[in-house]
Amino acid sequence: MEIVFIAIGCGLLAVLYGLFTARQVLAASPGDATMQAIAGAIQEGAKAYLGRQYSTIAVVGIVVAVLVALFLGLTSAIGFLIGAILSGAAGFIGMTISVRANVRTAEAARTSLQSGLTVAFRAGAITGMLVAGLALLAISGFFWFLTGPAGHAPDDRLVIDSLVALAFGASLISIFARLGGGIFTKAADVGADLVGKVEAGIPEDDPRNPAVIADNVGDNVGDCAGMAADLFETYVVTVGATMVLTALLVTGVDNGFLMKLMGLPLIVGGLCIITSIIGTYMVRLGRSQSIMGALYKGFWTTAILSIPAIYLATNWVLGDMTTVFGADLDGVGGYSGMALFWSMMVGLGVTALIVWITEYYTGTNYRPVRSIARASETGHGTNVIQGLAVSLEATALPTLVIVVGIILAYQAAGLIGIAFAATAMLALAGMVVALDAYGPVTDNAGGIAEMSHMDETVRVRTDALDAVGNTTKAVTKGYAIGSAGLAALVLFGAYTEDLKFYNSALGLTAPVDFSLSNPYVIVGLLLGALMPYLFGAMGMTAVGRAAGHVVKDVRHQFATDHGILRGESRPNYARTVDLVTRAAIREMIVPSLLPVLAPIVVYFAIAAVAGIANGFAALGALLLGVIVSGLFVALSMTSGGGAWDNAKKYIEDGNHGGKGSFAHLAAVTGDTVGDPYKDTAGPAVNPMIKITNIVALLLLAALAHGG
Amino acid sequence: MEIVFIAIGCGLLAVLYGLFTARQVLAASPGDATMQAIAGAIQEGAKAYLGRQYSTIAVVGIVVAVLVALFLGLTSAIGFLIGAILSGAAGFIGMTISVRANVRTAEAARTSLQSGLTVAFRAGAITGMLVAGLALLAISGFFWFLTGPAGHAPDDRLVIDSLVALAFGASLISIFARLGGGIFTKAADVGADLVGKVEAGIPEDDPRNPAVIADNVGDNVGDCAGMAADLFETYVVTVGATMVLTALLVTGVDNGFLMKLMGLPLIVGGLCIITSIIGTYMVRLGRSQSIMGALYKGFWTTAILSIPAIYLATNWVLGDMTTVFGADLDGVGGYSGMALFWSMMVGLGVTALIVWITEYYTGTNYRPVRSIARASETGHGTNVIQGLAVSLEATALPTLVIVVGIILAYQAAGLIGIAFAATAMLALAGMVVALDAYGPVTDNAGGIAEMSHMDETVRVRTDALDAVGNTTKAVTKGYAIGSAGLAALVLFGAYTEDLKFYNSALGLTAPVDFSLSNPYVIVGLLLGALMPYLFGAMGMTAVGRAAGHVVKDVRHQFATDHGILRGESRPNYARTVDLVTRAAIREMIVPSLLPVLAPIVVYFAIAAVAGIANGFAALGALLLGVIVSGLFVALSMTSGGGAWDNAKKYIEDGNHGGKGSFAHLAAVTGDTVGDPYKDTAGPAVNPMIKITNIVALLLLAALAHGG
């Protein structure tokens, strides 16, 4: 049990770090009255949106919690609620910090680039540590309660079901937050650009544009709150699934040892919070003044320090690194500390490579972004064609890395090895989220600098900070979807193990045939592969529709009050924010329910036609279909979108004719297309994959209990 | 044997129909001297391109033929060459007719819409019947030779391997033709548009544009020759795979009965050529003057007449419809005539539904195209976003239709049922290709009318004919990829049966584990799913690069001879054609080799790391991964591209501001983006899927013979 206490301690440390750093950030100067007024409007809008979003989700959440309680019992329902509430809290706290740090970053950027970077990165680090810390606290605290005060054995069904329910709570909130926030931010962004830049010919972030506050609110509720909920979910699901799979797969050991083994992912997560905190203190501009370099110093410090930390943790938990334990599953002949250590090293390696590949595909220094910029010279059409080509191509290297990662981790320690590799990836979540959450703060800081007519040098600094944010945002998405690739295999492993466990309770007479030559497996793969496409279509359409409302509202404001464009009267920002809020909330519901309902519908439909065994086979294949297809859809959308965005930035830096050139116009089109790709549809595929898998696990448990 | 003779007879009938109709088409007036000069330039360019393309492919083909002879023997090599040569012939003949019918269609359109339609559709029908007829002749002739004069039993390994080699020959030529032609046509089209419409501000098909002949050549070598080779391949592979699977799966019957059963797909194909010929005579404008209606009359006549034809053929071949034969495989308890009949009805049903769904997604009368047109009002970005949303959404209904088709056909007659469903789909190929090949003829006719300054009424008529061509072209692609979905399952079935057959020869000690819980299966699925993405990226990039060359060449011509734009001097059309030819041939090689090499590399890589059993598991999963992912990539690209194109046409018809409006400019961008989507990358995915599968089958045979 002391392992779990250490993990809880590390989780609390992360929260303390968050509180301490929040005091530092809030102590910085919030600037003059104009800046504070603008920041106040953004704060108000963000708070109003999140309030509406959470009260809508709460309705769905309560209905689902009741269903969970009915089918799986009260403990699972409590797990569900803990996951849901903390996921929401992670998003809320992140957003709260972010909307206060933006104006302080702008003010600090008056002094120097370093000062601006410090405030913005600290704000990101608070969100990062709170996401990792709260996620770790949720799992380890709940696990402690179940195996301690509640007195269950670690491999008790109730413990397993409750951990899955905890993950479900986190995932369900996360998909709503990702999608709702994603629709909000891109509807506002696209709408503001279309009517502002294109029609009225006013620059980005111009205070005369009624949608400008909504655009800035969007950065906070989408890129910050939505992203935080997403990564919270990824952490809880991955670590939770590793624990569940350990309980299901490692047999022939006593409960005390199993308890330790299930605690290993927790303590690894805990120690990596400490290495992440150390990493945050390394983020400092070097002589080259490279912002990306400064951020990388933090990331690499964390990654490298995590290697000995993971080794020592494994050695301490298991007693030594070489004793083989567990039965001979997967043909790996049992497991050893060294095998698990190597698996986790695979996870770190996959993370590092995905970070590097994503930078290659979205950074302005490399071929992909430059090829899009060059294609912009011949117009809108060729810009988009080249951007789509890059987005398709950008799936190749990450897939190869994941494939090699799967093979190496499996060769080291079988399916458990893949699970521990995924856990090690997520152990770095605190640092990765810190890099990401820094982005919306600098984006907002730039907007505030522009709107409050701060000195041009400030805007240059915030722009430099923001350009890097595009890449770090793409990195997090690649990282999240890459880890989802591994986590989904773990969840599928849990599904097949559960099927074996529940075999007779479900009324099955033989093992389910998951062979590819079973046509119901193919049917499941096809239906699963369809889901990200349908989901993506819904997300893209939603943004288009909501952006259309924004365009109409802004046109109406311009038409009814001619003083707005002359800069004489203040536009009604709140009306636009409110309009986007309503549109985003309305649009997020149906797509979010797709992954919840699809597994249930597919199981019952196929079971009705071809018997329950084929129903379970099709459902299992659906889980793999959704990851096999979702991985590509998400990677192509997030990398492609990032590349389009930075191709525009590259042109704005004076290449291919610079701002206002024909190439720049084309690049703006590409950026607009990339917006819903990278910030709405693409990243939401990640929680979608996980929900589909978790619902399948819960369906099994519910059917077994009822059957 | 008489069954095979009847099939050969029907194949010859199709060729006779082609010759007879070709005389009719050629007897029509080829117009005045100006028109003939333009048509002559197009003919010359198309001939030059195909000549270069075929001589390049011949080099690859001869190398591969030698390899096939070495590893699989001379008979297989002969099969490979027959497939390759006839696939090339189908494309060549189609192109030859098409480049002569274009000018005659323009001339006939002077008289009336009906006259133009008659010439254009007859030209399409020639290509359609020749594709189906030559494909049927190739398989039935080769099968007759193997089982007759050569004296092999129908289920002899040599017969099976040789049929697979025949399919391989057809597929290999087809991917080069599809991709090379696709790159040519879209590089010329995009290049001509960019520098003509966008930069010089001259209309489409303006004779002052040096790329205008290349653009018209592209319609013939891409949409006609490439498409014909593709459908030839689809036909040969599908019918061939059905025969192979029948030989592998139906046990417990004597050779005489097996011979009949393997002849059934041939005779079904033969009879449907007759129903297709009857259908072509039904294509006539009704009172509503609806061109789509006229074409549909032909299609529906063929589809409905095929129902009794298939019933009678099955009854006659098997003697009766109810006797159960074959061992109890797949849990279907043997097969019966009725079961096979119902499977084939599923195939016809899937075809009809895919035609209907494709028209919904690409026709100007329905929501999807109109939503793109409406989104064009707010600019380039929203046009592209909505187009991408439609392209993602357009995968859903066809997938559901295919899934339901798989389930129904499997419930009727197991895996054999799926094979016969695919065969019935392909039986309609003559008619479907006729509808498609009509498109490039009308497209060219419009170009010739414009360039030779014919009367405005002629251009209105050719435009009306052409608009329908966009939809029929999309329909064929949806149909080809849908049938590939079924055919790939058949090929995968053949792969697993082959693995069982060769088990000990390959050095395997146990059945290969194709279960989804084998991580090497997941690895194979992921790598297979990657292939269409990588292939798509290569295709899109190739078009962008080749179009860039066109832009530079045209700019150079305008700059060095100012008389061109003033209409005083004639541009150097041939130089542009030659340039695109070289670019397309250069660009087609690497992507085309991807599906040939990937299965071999993946097998050897995984076998080296994890043993040959896992190598075969990963290879099998690769085959399914490529279809599961390729289906979506191809459907989204072809439907999305068609929708973009028709959204532009819808605006040009006077909606949302009509030609020259802001919405129209945005729609032109969408159309440009859709070009490589729908005519290069998307359709080439179909042969790519099949090649991957066929190479895997050949690899098995080669390893077994060598092992």
Side-chain angles (χ1 to χ4, degrees):
Chain A
M1 199 54 94
E2 59 189 333
I3 297 172
V4 178
F5 285 135
I6 295 176
I8 294 178
C10 293
L12 290 174
L13 182 70
V15 175
L16 280 179
Y17 170 90
L19 292 177
F20 171 75
T21 313
R23 281 191 53 165
Q24 285 186 322
V25 169
L26 294 177
S29 158
D32 60 31
T34 321
M35 290 164 68
Q36 288 188 40
I38 295 164
I42 298 173
Q43 277 168 36
E44 209 179 290
K47 222 175 125 185
Y49 173 75
L50 273 200
R52 282 269 266 282
Q53 176 179 285
Y54 285 148
S55 40
T56 308
I57 302 178
V59 176
V60 180
I62 288 166
V63 172
V64 175
V66 170
L67 288 174
V68 170
L70 280 177
F71 284 105
L72 297 169
L74 202 61
T75 319
S76 290
I78 293 173
F80 173 84
L81 286 176
I82 294 177
I85 291 169
L86 286 183
S87 171
F92 186 80
I93 298 171
M95 183 278 290
T96 307
I97 296 299
S98 182
V99 293
R100 282 166 181 79
N102 52 11
V103 64
R104 290 169 172 84
T105 300
E107 178 64 21
R110 269 196 221 270
T111 321
S112 69
L113 188 64
Q114 174 68 61
S115 310
L117 174 63
T118 302
V119 176
F121 181 72
R122 274 185 188 158
I126 296 166
T127 305
M129 294 313 144
L130 282 178
V131 164
L134 287 179
L136 189 62
L137 276 178
I139 316 174
S140 48
F142 194 49
F143 185 63
W144 164 77
F145 170 79
L146 292 170
T147 54
H152 299 290
D155 62 348
D156 194 298
R157 260 346 279 194
L158 189 122
V159 174
I160 293 175
D161 288 354
S162 302
L163 284 176
V164 175
L166 175 78
F168 183 45
S171 290
L172 192 68
I173 299 312
S174 145
I175 196 168
F176 281 110
R178 241 317 178 194
L179 203 62
I183 294 170
F184 187 109
T185 178
K186 291 304 125 175
D189 190 355
V190 171
D193 280 2
L194 286 175
V195 79
K197 279 197 224 171
V198 181
E199 284 184 27
I202 54 178
E204 199 165 335
D205 291 328
D206 191 294
R208 289 171 292 174
N209 191 334
V212 74
I213 295 290
D215 185 9
N216 280 284
V217 168
D219 294 338
N220 293 293
V221 301
D223 297 346
C224 185
M227 180 275 297
D230 181 3
L231 270 289
F232 178 90
E233 176 264 356
T234 305
Y235 196 112
V236 170
V237 172
T238 307
V239 174
T242 303
M243 294 170 72
V244 166
L245 199 71
T246 304
L248 289 170
L249 274 186
V250 180
T251 51
V253 298
D254 62 39
N255 270 350
F257 188 80
L258 184 61
M259 188 74 199
K260 286 186 188 172
L261 204 59
M262 289 173 76
L264 180 57
L266 299 176
I267 203 163
V268 165
L271 290 182
C272 289
I273 284 182
I274 297 177
T275 61
S276 296
I277 290 178
I278 299 172
T280 61
Y281 288 106
M282 297 296 141
V283 173
R284 218 169 290 138
L285 287 176
R287 211 171 288 169
S288 68
Q289 293 284 303
S290 155
I291 303 165
M292 200 71 210
L295 296 174
Y296 270 162
K297 261 186 263 173
F299 174 77
W300 289 115
T301 303
T302 302
I304 290 165
L305 287 181
S306 298
I307 299 173
I310 290 174
Y311 185 90
L312 293 173
T314 311
N315 194 25
W316 181 69
V317 167
L318 301 180
D320 72 284
M321 297 298 276
T322 47
T323 308
V324 174
F325 58 87
D328 183 5
L329 275 163
D330 298 335
V332 290
Y335 313 97
S336 71
M338 216 51 213
L340 295 184
F341 172 72
W342 283 121
S343 305
M344 289 188 268
M345 289 306 104
V346 168
L348 292 187
V350 168
T351 305
L353 285 170
I354 285 186
V355 168
W356 183 75
I357 294 166
T358 312
E359 204 207 328
Y360 173 73
Y361 274 102
T362 59
T364 49
N365 293 326
Y366 307 99
R367 176 189 57 84
V369 167
R370 294 197 170 179
S371 74
I372 299 176
R374 198 176 326 111
S376 309
E377 284 196 358
T378 39
H380 303 270
T382 38
N383 166 290
V384 176
I385 290 176
Q386 187 58 29
L388 287 172
V390 166
S391 80
L392 293 170
E393 187 196 309
T395 61
L397 288 179
T399 305
L400 291 178
V401 166
I402 290 167
V403 159
V404 171
I406 289 172
I407 293 176
L408 291 178
Y410 187 80
Q411 298 240 335
L415 200 49
I416 293 277
I418 297 176
F420 274 90
T423 289
M425 282 189 81
L426 264 296
L428 302 189
M431 191 64 200
V432 175
V433 172
L435 298 180
D436 186 326
Y438 143 98
V441 175
T442 60
D443 200 345
N444 259 236
I448 292 171
E450 183 80 26
M451 284 185 272
S452 59
H453 307 293
M454 288 174 78
D455 199 74
E456 180 61 24
T457 53
V458 177
R459 182 75 214 218
V460 168
R461 284 177 191 148
T462 57
D463 269 357
L465 293 170
D466 186 29
V468 173
N470 271 329
T471 297
T472 60
K473 271 154 63 182
V475 163
T476 314
K477 289 163 198 159
Y479 160 83
I481 188 72
S483 76
L486 298 183
L489 297 191
V490 176
L491 289 166
F492 180 75
Y495 175 81
T496 53
E497 289 305 314
D498 258 14
L499 262 184
K500 286 183 205 157
F501 179 85
Y502 284 133
N503 203 282
S504 58
L506 291 166
L508 289 165
T509 50
V512 170
D513 174 18
F514 280 118
S515 167
L516 293 177
S517 40
N518 177 357
Y520 297 101
V521 166
I522 315 261
V523 163
L525 283 174
L526 287 172
L527 292 175
L530 171 58
M531 287 173 61
Y533 279 81
L534 201 53
F535 185 77
M538 289 174 176
M540 303 275 288
T541 314
V543 169
R545 208 157 30 207
H549 292 305
V550 174
V551 169
K552 277 182 202 143
D553 177 66
V554 173
R555 278 183 190 158
H556 184 255
Q557 293 207 25
F558 283 158
T560 48
D561 182 352
H562 296 289
I564 295 179
L565 268 178
R566 286 197 302 269
E568 288 158 7
S569 38
R570 192 173 177 267
N572 190 342
Y573 299 127
R575 192 174 97 182
T576 315
V577 170
D578 188 56
L579 182 141
V580 189
T581 299
R582 275 181 289 124
I585 303 244
R586 198 170 46 234
E587 299 279 1
M588 80 180 174
I589 306 280
V590 176
S592 299
L593 291 178
L594 177 71
V596 178
L597 298 178
I600 301 173
V601 171
V602 167
Y603 167 72
F604 283 107
I606 302 292
V609 175
I612 60 167
N614 284 322
F616 290 120
L619 177 55
L622 177 96
L623 306 184
L624 278 181
V626 71
I627 174 69
V628 165
S629 152
L631 184 70
F632 293 94
V633 170
L635 282 173
S636 65
M637 287 182 168
T638 55
S639 294
W644 262 314
D645 198 340
N646 272 343
K648 186 192 70 171
K649 286 228 158 46
Y650 181 71
I651 291 178
E652 288 174 351
D653 289 346
N655 302 291
H656 302 288
K659 257 191 176 168
S661 64
F662 181 63
H664 185 237
L665 281 180
V668 169
T669 293
D671 179 36
T672 309
V673 172
D675 272 343
Y677 240 49
K678 73 176 198 299
D679 290 325
T680 312
V685 168
N686 171 31
M688 192 203 71
I689 291 170
K690 258 84 68 71
I691 291 189
T692 314
N693 278 274
I694 291 170
V695 169
L697 284 177
L698 294 175
L699 179 67
L700 276 193
L703 287 171
H705 289 236
Chain B
M1 199 55 96
E2 59 189 335
I3 296 172
V4 178
F5 286 136
I6 295 177
I8 293 177
C10 291
L12 290 174
L13 183 69
V15 175
L16 281 179
Y17 170 89
L19 292 177
F20 172 74
T21 313
R23 282 190 52 166
Q24 285 186 321
V25 169
L26 294 177
S29 160
D32 60 32
T34 323
M35 289 164 69
Q36 290 187 39
I38 295 164
I42 298 172
Q43 277 166 36
E44 208 179 292
K47 222 175 123 186
Y49 173 75
L50 272 200
R52 282 268 265 284
Q53 177 179 285
Y54 284 149
S55 40
T56 308
I57 303 179
V59 177
V60 180
I62 289 167
V63 172
V64 175
V66 170
L67 289 174
V68 170
L70 281 177
F71 285 104
L72 296 169
L74 201 61
T75 320
S76 290
I78 293 171
F80 173 82
L81 287 175
I82 295 176
I85 292 168
L86 285 183
S87 171
F92 185 79
I93 299 171
M95 184 278 289
T96 307
I97 297 298
S98 182
V99 293
R100 282 166 181 78
N102 51 11
V103 64
R104 291 170 170 82
T105 300
E107 179 63 22
R110 270 195 221 270
T111 321
S112 69
L113 189 64
Q114 175 67 62
S115 311
L117 174 63
T118 303
V119 177
F121 181 73
R122 275 186 187 155
I126 297 166
T127 305
M129 293 314 142
L130 282 177
V131 164
L134 288 178
L136 189 62
L137 276 177
I139 316 174
S140 47
F142 194 49
F143 184 62
W144 162 78
F145 170 79
L146 292 169
T147 54
H152 300 290
D155 60 348
D156 193 299
R157 260 346 278 193
L158 189 123
V159 174
I160 293 175
D161 288 353
S162 302
L163 285 176
V164 175
L166 176 78
F168 183 45
S171 291
L172 192 68
I173 300 311
S174 146
I175 195 167
F176 280 111
R178 242 316 179 193
L179 202 61
I183 295 170
F184 187 110
T185 180
K186 291 304 126 176
D189 190 356
V190 171
D193 280 2
L194 286 175
V195 79
K197 280 198 224 172
V198 181
E199 285 184 26
I202 54 178
E204 199 165 335
D205 291 327
D206 191 294
R208 288 171 294 174
N209 191 333
V212 74
I213 295 290
D215 186 8
N216 280 284
V217 168
D219 294 338
N220 293 293
V221 301
D223 297 346
C224 186
M227 180 276 298
D230 181 3
L231 270 288
F232 179 90
E233 175 264 357
T234 306
Y235 197 111
V236 171
V237 171
T238 307
V239 174
T242 303
M243 294 170 72
V244 167
L245 199 70
T246 304
L248 290 169
L249 274 186
V250 180
T251 51
V253 299
D254 63 39
N255 269 351
F257 188 80
L258 183 60
M259 187 77 197
K260 285 186 188 174
L261 205 58
M262 288 173 78
L264 181 56
L266 298 176
I267 203 163
V268 165
L271 291 182
C272 288
I273 283 181
I274 298 177
T275 60
S276 296
I277 290 177
I278 299 172
T280 62
Y281 289 106
M282 297 295 140
V283 174
R284 219 169 291 140
L285 287 176
R287 213 172 287 169
S288 68
Q289 294 283 303
S290 155
I291 303 165
M292 200 72 210
L295 296 175
Y296 272 161
K297 262 186 262 174
F299 174 76
W300 290 115
T301 303
T302 302
I304 289 165
L305 286 180
S306 298
I307 299 172
I310 290 175
Y311 185 91
L312 294 173
T314 311
N315 194 25
W316 180 70
V317 167
L318 301 180
D320 73 284
M321 297 298 276
T322 46
T323 307
V324 173
F325 57 88
D328 183 4
L329 276 163
D330 298 335
V332 290
Y335 313 97
S336 71
M338 216 52 214
L340 295 184
F341 172 73
W342 282 121
S343 304
M344 290 189 268
M345 290 304 104
V346 168
L348 293 187
V350 168
T351 305
L353 285 170
I354 285 186
V355 168
W356 183 76
I357 293 166
T358 311
E359 205 207 326
Y360 174 73
Y361 275 102
T362 60
T364 49
N365 293 324
Y366 306 98
R367 176 188 57 83
V369 166
R370 295 196 171 183
S371 73
I372 298 176
R374 197 174 328 109
S376 309
E377 284 196 357
T378 37
H380 304 271
T382 38
N383 167 290
V384 177
I385 290 175
Q386 187 58 28
L388 287 172
V390 166
S391 79
L392 294 171
E393 188 197 308
T395 61
L397 287 179
T399 305
L400 290 178
V401 166
I402 290 167
V403 159
V404 171
I406 289 172
I407 293 175
L408 291 179
Y410 187 80
Q411 298 239 335
L415 200 50
I416 294 277
I418 296 176
F420 274 90
T423 290
M425 282 189 80
L426 264 296
L428 301 188
M431 191 66 202
V432 175
V433 172
L435 298 180
D436 185 326
Y438 142 99
V441 174
T442 60
D443 201 346
N444 259 236
I448 292 170
E450 183 81 27
M451 284 184 272
S452 59
H453 307 292
M454 289 175 77
D455 198 74
E456 179 61 22
T457 53
V458 176
R459 181 75 214 219
V460 168
R461 284 179 190 145
T462 57
D463 270 357
L465 292 169
D466 186 30
V468 173
N470 271 329
T471 297
T472 61
K473 272 154 62 182
V475 163
T476 314
K477 290 162 199 158
Y479 161 83
I481 189 71
S483 76
L486 297 183
L489 297 191
V490 177
L491 290 165
F492 179 74
Y495 175 81
T496 53
E497 290 304 315
D498 259 13
L499 262 185
K500 285 183 205 158
F501 180 86
Y502 283 135
N503 202 282
S504 58
L506 291 167
L508 290 166
T509 49
V512 170
D513 174 17
F514 280 117
S515 168
L516 294 178
S517 40
N518 177 357
Y520 297 101
V521 167
I522 315 261
V523 163
L525 283 174
L526 286 172
L527 292 175
L530 170 58
M531 287 174 60
Y533 279 82
L534 201 52
F535 185 77
M538 289 175 177
M540 303 275 288
T541 313
V543 169
R545 209 156 29 206
H549 292 305
V550 174
V551 169
K552 276 183 202 141
D553 177 67
V554 173
R555 279 185 189 156
H556 184 254
Q557 293 206 26
F558 283 158
T560 48
D561 182 351
H562 295 289
I564 294 179
L565 269 178
R566 287 197 300 270
E568 289 158 7
S569 39
R570 192 173 177 271
N572 191 343
Y573 299 126
R575 193 174 96 181
T576 316
V577 170
D578 187 59
L579 183 142
V580 188
T581 299
R582 275 182 288 123
I585 305 253
R586 198 170 48 235
E587 300 279 1
M588 80 180 174
I589 306 280
V590 176
S592 298
L593 291 179
L594 177 71
V596 178
L597 298 178
I600 301 173
V601 171
V602 167
Y603 167 72
F604 284 106
I606 302 293
V609 175
I612 60 166
N614 283 322
F616 289 120
L619 177 55
L622 176 96
L623 306 184
L624 278 181
V626 71
I627 175 68
V628 164
S629 150
L631 184 70
F632 292 94
V633 170
L635 282 173
S636 65
M637 286 182 168
T638 55
S639 295
W644 262 313
D645 198 340
N646 272 342
K648 185 192 71 172
K649 287 228 157 46
Y650 181 71
I651 290 178
E652 287 173 352
D653 288 347
N655 302 292
H656 301 288
K659 258 191 175 167
S661 64
F662 182 63
H664 185 236
L665 281 180
V668 169
T669 294
D671 179 36
T672 309
V673 173
D675 272 343
Y677 240 48
K678 74 177 196 298
D679 289 325
T680 313
V685 168
N686 172 30
M688 191 203 72
I689 291 170
K690 259 84 68 73
I691 292 189
T692 314
N693 278 274
I694 291 170
V695 169
L697 285 178
L698 294 175
L699 179 66
L700 275 193
L703 288 172
H705 289 235

